[in-house]
Amino acid sequence: MPQLLPISDQLNNVIDSLSMFRPELCLSVLFLLVMACDLVYASNRGRASRMLTCAGFLLVLVANWGEYIETDDHVLFLFNSNLILHHSNIVLKMIIDAAAFAVVLFFPWDDQLRKHGKGLGDAYTIITASVLGLHLMVMSGTLLTIFISVEMVSIASYLLVAYRTESGFSAEAGLKYVLFGMAASAVMLYGISLFYGLSGTLNLFDGNLITYLQQADTAMVTLAVVLILAGIGFKLSVVPLHFWVPDVYQGAATPVTAYLSTLPKIAGFGLLVTFLTPFIANLAWNKVDFITLLSVAGIVTMVAGNFAAVWQQNVKRLLAYSGIGHTGFALMAVVTFSAQGIKALNFYLAAYAVANLGALMLAGYFANTMKAESLDEYKGLGFKYPVASVCFVILLISLTGIPVSAGFNAKVIVFSAVYEVYQQGHNVMLLALLVTGAVTTVVSLFYYIKIPLYLFLKNQESEGREYPSHKKILVTIVVLSAIVVLLGIFPDLLANLM
């Protein structure tokens, strides 16, 4: 009987963990319901599945809010430490749920997706499964759960990118994404195998983890850590793992681009923070200098993303490169390795998600109504579509970081967190991050301002044909723009929850 006690303890831990696993259980049930709904109501081309998915995401958001209240600043280890729950990752889960809700709303408003021969029921099923994977990415506490959750999200992303099978460009983007994604997964898995061989555990929060790694060869430990970070960096589009982003973002349907540029990135940062925590928390760790490593990655990513965006003419490619730049800026908050830095990161990701989703919705709106996808095709549209164009300016102001906008407050909070840590240790890498962040913010103004320039100050050479478009998308865009302004004036409405 004594031999059965460990198994009994594990089963009790699993049962106790279920009460704090409600959002993920809801997502699992929602996935099955959406799939069944698509089979039963296949004739309505996914409308019933969409309504069910939106309602389900709102329910999951409420369940996460309940968890947020219940945790009360405690760190909970669920399912025998395979998953971790605390305030910070619950906040990220809520941001993911809200962004997923907006993306699902956006899907049928895209002409190319709406005319898809198979309908959109499959897409809603895939998104629901991916959100479950994103939740698990944020909560992962072992290398095994990290790999499984990343692969769940990767497979869903591959399917979404290539969803428009009738489009050769979309199929090419999907194939490119699959090939690069498989290579990144293989690299990450090799790093995990090395990590396990050196430490003897998959649990990141095992008490003996750092002790065993400290005794191992420095070169092998560094290689294992770098390979795992490379797998995470692929999801974050960190330079030099960004090469897939422009072509995939341009080739995918605009709602899929909105999904790729926000949800996996948010979950990726949550995963990165979790992976780094046991090393940063242990003062004995001296094998890998994470501050230098991530600072160099952040600087290169900010410079490459922002300067490459200056030369872009296609709006989606421009937003793709700007997203790479934003990844580098968000890494500044991670490098602080402080509670203030993590709160700044969460606020920044929320502000970026709102503005970026709105900007891509507007890119889709102009593509639908005027078949305008490049800057030259935006000439003179500002006065023809004043509401959409003014909202575009507001959202771009936020992405740039100009007052009064959510993006400005987010950047100020990140700069403050980095500067406070720099004052304590005067680390030159943090100073380099601050300088690079300020310079690239100015550079971003040069390419973001090109869109209002073409909308309002360039004359339309000829009257293009106007196509019908969903007016509901404008309502959503106005709401997102209002949120950006509201958080610009009253940042504490969201900052206090972080």
PDB file of all heavy atoms in Angstrom, residues 454-467:
ATOM      1  N   TYR A 454      -0.507  59.529 -47.794  1.00  0.00           N
ATOM      2  CA  TYR A 454      -1.150  59.078 -49.022  1.00  0.00           C
ATOM      3  C   TYR A 454      -2.671  59.200 -48.930  1.00  0.00           C
ATOM      4  O   TYR A 454      -3.332  59.477 -49.927  1.00  0.00           O
ATOM      5  CB  TYR A 454      -0.760  57.629 -49.323  1.00  0.00           C
ATOM      6  CG  TYR A 454       0.558  57.502 -50.036  1.00  0.00           C
ATOM      7  CD1 TYR A 454       1.764  57.512 -49.338  1.00  0.00           C
ATOM      8  CD2 TYR A 454       0.621  57.374 -51.419  1.00  0.00           C
ATOM      9  CE1 TYR A 454       2.976  57.407 -49.986  1.00  0.00           C
ATOM     10  CE2 TYR A 454       1.831  57.265 -52.081  1.00  0.00           C
ATOM     11  CZ  TYR A 454       3.007  57.285 -51.360  1.00  0.00           C
ATOM     12  OH  TYR A 454       4.206  57.192 -52.020  1.00  0.00           O
ATOM     13  N   LEU A 455      -3.223  59.006 -47.737  1.00  0.00           N
ATOM     14  CA  LEU A 455      -4.680  59.091 -47.585  1.00  0.00           C
ATOM     15  C   LEU A 455      -5.195  60.514 -47.785  1.00  0.00           C
ATOM     16  O   LEU A 455      -6.222  60.728 -48.447  1.00  0.00           O
ATOM     17  CB  LEU A 455      -5.094  58.588 -46.198  1.00  0.00           C
ATOM     18  CG  LEU A 455      -5.079  57.080 -45.962  1.00  0.00           C
ATOM     19  CD1 LEU A 455      -5.335  56.776 -44.494  1.00  0.00           C
ATOM     20  CD2 LEU A 455      -6.116  56.383 -46.824  1.00  0.00           C
ATOM     21  N   PHE A 456      -4.486  61.496 -47.228  1.00  0.00           N
ATOM     22  CA  PHE A 456      -5.027  62.861 -47.182  1.00  0.00           C
ATOM     23  C   PHE A 456      -4.289  63.870 -48.065  1.00  0.00           C
ATOM     24  O   PHE A 456      -4.889  64.858 -48.500  1.00  0.00           O
ATOM     25  CB  PHE A 456      -5.015  63.366 -45.732  1.00  0.00           C
ATOM     26  CG  PHE A 456      -5.982  62.661 -44.839  1.00  0.00           C
ATOM     27  CD1 PHE A 456      -5.547  61.700 -43.931  1.00  0.00           C
ATOM     28  CD2 PHE A 456      -7.341  62.939 -44.883  1.00  0.00           C
ATOM     29  CE1 PHE A 456      -6.431  61.043 -43.096  1.00  0.00           C
ATOM     30  CE2 PHE A 456      -8.242  62.283 -44.063  1.00  0.00           C
ATOM     31  CZ  PHE A 456      -7.790  61.336 -43.160  1.00  0.00           C
ATOM     32  N   LEU A 457      -3.015  63.677 -48.317  1.00  0.00           N
ATOM     33  CA  LEU A 457      -2.239  64.712 -48.999  1.00  0.00           C
ATOM     34  C   LEU A 457      -1.838  64.357 -50.427  1.00  0.00           C
ATOM     35  O   LEU A 457      -1.253  65.175 -51.129  1.00  0.00           O
ATOM     36  CB  LEU A 457      -0.974  65.027 -48.185  1.00  0.00           C
ATOM     37  CG  LEU A 457      -1.236  65.547 -46.765  1.00  0.00           C
ATOM     38  CD1 LEU A 457       0.079  65.812 -46.054  1.00  0.00           C
ATOM     39  CD2 LEU A 457      -2.086  66.812 -46.789  1.00  0.00           C
ATOM     40  N   LYS A 458      -2.122  63.145 -50.858  1.00  0.00           N
ATOM     41  CA  LYS A 458      -1.841  62.742 -52.237  1.00  0.00           C
ATOM     42  C   LYS A 458      -3.152  62.707 -53.016  1.00  0.00           C
ATOM     43  O   LYS A 458      -4.167  62.200 -52.516  1.00  0.00           O
ATOM     44  CB  LYS A 458      -1.183  61.357 -52.277  1.00  0.00           C
ATOM     45  CG  LYS A 458       0.180  61.292 -51.599  1.00  0.00           C
ATOM     46  CD  LYS A 458       1.268  61.782 -52.518  1.00  0.00           C
ATOM     47  CE  LYS A 458       2.647  61.540 -51.902  1.00  0.00           C
ATOM     48  NZ  LYS A 458       3.733  61.941 -52.797  1.00  0.00           N
ATOM     49  N   ASN A 459      -3.120  63.229 -54.224  1.00  0.00           N
ATOM     50  CA  ASN A 459      -4.319  63.237 -55.055  1.00  0.00           C
ATOM     51  C   ASN A 459      -4.493  61.913 -55.771  1.00  0.00           C
ATOM     52  O   ASN A 459      -3.517  61.327 -56.269  1.00  0.00           O
ATOM     53  CB  ASN A 459      -4.248  64.367 -56.087  1.00  0.00           C
ATOM     54  CG  ASN A 459      -4.288  65.731 -55.428  1.00  0.00           C
ATOM     55  OD1 ASN A 459      -4.987  65.920 -54.426  1.00  0.00           O
ATOM     56  ND2 ASN A 459      -3.528  66.681 -55.975  1.00  0.00           N
ATOM     57  N   GLN A 460      -5.745  61.479 -55.838  1.00  0.00           N
ATOM     58  CA  GLN A 460      -6.054  60.241 -56.534  1.00  0.00           C
ATOM     59  C   GLN A 460      -5.941  60.472 -58.034  1.00  0.00           C
ATOM     60  O   GLN A 460      -6.553  61.389 -58.589  1.00  0.00           O
ATOM     61  CB  GLN A 460      -7.470  59.773 -56.170  1.00  0.00           C
ATOM     62  CG  GLN A 460      -7.770  58.347 -56.557  1.00  0.00           C
ATOM     63  CD  GLN A 460      -9.108  57.877 -55.992  1.00  0.00           C
ATOM     64  OE1 GLN A 460      -9.920  58.681 -55.587  1.00  0.00           O
ATOM     65  NE2 GLN A 460      -9.322  56.580 -55.978  1.00  0.00           N
ATOM     66  N   GLU A 461      -5.133  59.639 -58.701  1.00  0.00           N
ATOM     67  CA  GLU A 461      -4.886  59.848 -60.121  1.00  0.00           C
ATOM     68  C   GLU A 461      -6.105  59.526 -60.969  1.00  0.00           C
ATOM     69  O   GLU A 461      -6.368  60.169 -61.979  1.00  0.00           O
ATOM     70  CB  GLU A 461      -3.690  58.988 -60.560  1.00  0.00           C
ATOM     71  CG  GLU A 461      -2.390  59.411 -59.867  1.00  0.00           C
ATOM     72  CD  GLU A 461      -1.240  58.476 -60.177  1.00  0.00           C
ATOM     73  OE1 GLU A 461      -1.481  57.476 -60.890  1.00  0.00           O
ATOM     74  OE2 GLU A 461      -0.121  58.737 -59.697  1.00  0.00           O
ATOM     75  N   SER A 462      -6.876  58.529 -60.587  1.00  0.00           N
ATOM     76  CA  SER A 462      -8.093  58.176 -61.321  1.00  0.00           C
ATOM     77  C   SER A 462      -9.084  57.559 -60.355  1.00  0.00           C
ATOM     78  O   SER A 462      -8.692  56.954 -59.356  1.00  0.00           O
ATOM     79  CB  SER A 462      -7.769  57.192 -62.453  1.00  0.00           C
ATOM     80  OG  SER A 462      -7.218  55.993 -61.929  1.00  0.00           O
ATOM     81  N   GLU A 463     -10.346  57.714 -60.635  1.00  0.00           N
ATOM     82  CA  GLU A 463     -11.391  57.164 -59.786  1.00  0.00           C
ATOM     83  C   GLU A 463     -11.423  55.652 -59.919  1.00  0.00           C
ATOM     84  O   GLU A 463     -11.698  55.121 -61.005  1.00  0.00           O
ATOM     85  CB  GLU A 463     -12.757  57.748 -60.164  1.00  0.00           C
ATOM     86  CG  GLU A 463     -12.949  59.191 -59.742  1.00  0.00           C
ATOM     87  CD  GLU A 463     -13.036  59.350 -58.238  1.00  0.00           C
ATOM     88  OE1 GLU A 463     -13.526  58.419 -57.578  1.00  0.00           O
ATOM     89  OE2 GLU A 463     -12.583  60.387 -57.720  1.00  0.00           O
ATOM     90  N   GLY A 464     -11.102  54.973 -58.841  1.00  0.00           N
ATOM     91  CA  GLY A 464     -11.149  53.518 -58.872  1.00  0.00           C
ATOM     92  C   GLY A 464     -12.556  53.006 -58.637  1.00  0.00           C
ATOM     93  O   GLY A 464     -13.418  53.706 -58.109  1.00  0.00           O
ATOM     94  N   ARG A 465     -12.776  51.782 -59.026  1.00  0.00           N
ATOM     95  CA  ARG A 465     -14.082  51.178 -58.828  1.00  0.00           C
ATOM     96  C   ARG A 465     -14.283  50.866 -57.354  1.00  0.00           C
ATOM     97  O   ARG A 465     -13.379  50.366 -56.694  1.00  0.00           O
ATOM     98  CB  ARG A 465     -14.195  49.908 -59.663  1.00  0.00           C
ATOM     99  CG  ARG A 465     -15.530  49.191 -59.502  1.00  0.00           C
ATOM    100  CD  ARG A 465     -15.546  47.883 -60.261  1.00  0.00           C
ATOM    101  NE  ARG A 465     -16.716  47.090 -59.922  1.00  0.00           N
ATOM    102  CZ  ARG A 465     -16.924  45.840 -60.300  1.00  0.00           C
ATOM    103  NH1 ARG A 465     -16.001  45.225 -61.060  1.00  0.00           N
ATOM    104  NH2 ARG A 465     -18.007  45.189 -59.957  1.00  0.00           N
ATOM    105  N   GLU A 466     -15.476  51.147 -56.845  1.00  0.00           N
ATOM    106  CA  GLU A 466     -15.776  50.890 -55.439  1.00  0.00           C
ATOM    107  C   GLU A 466     -16.526  49.570 -55.315  1.00  0.00           C
ATOM    108  O   GLU A 466     -17.441  49.285 -56.078  1.00  0.00           O
ATOM    109  CB  GLU A 466     -16.627  52.024 -54.860  1.00  0.00           C
ATOM    110  CG  GLU A 466     -16.841  51.906 -53.359  1.00  0.00           C
ATOM    111  CD  GLU A 466     -17.522  53.141 -52.792  1.00  0.00           C
ATOM    112  OE1 GLU A 466     -17.631  54.146 -53.511  1.00  0.00           O
ATOM    113  OE2 GLU A 466     -17.926  53.084 -51.614  1.00  0.00           O
ATOM    114  N   TYR A 467     -16.126  48.760 -54.342  1.00  0.00           N
ATOM    115  CA  TYR A 467     -16.734  47.457 -54.120  1.00  0.00           C
ATOM    116  C   TYR A 467     -17.500  47.483 -52.803  1.00  0.00           C
ATOM    117  O   TYR A 467     -17.130  48.193 -51.870  1.00  0.00           O
ATOM    118  CB  TYR A 467     -15.660  46.365 -54.075  1.00  0.00           C
ATOM    119  CG  TYR A 467     -14.893  46.203 -55.360  1.00  0.00           C
ATOM    120  CD1 TYR A 467     -13.798  47.032 -55.643  1.00  0.00           C
ATOM    121  CD2 TYR A 467     -15.257  45.250 -56.285  1.00  0.00           C
ATOM    122  CE1 TYR A 467     -13.086  46.897 -56.824  1.00  0.00           C
ATOM    123  CE2 TYR A 467     -14.541  45.090 -57.475  1.00  0.00           C
ATOM    124  CZ  TYR A 467     -13.467  45.923 -57.728  1.00  0.00           C
ATOM    125  OH  TYR A 467     -12.770  45.791 -58.898  1.00  0.00           O
TER     126      TYR A 467
END
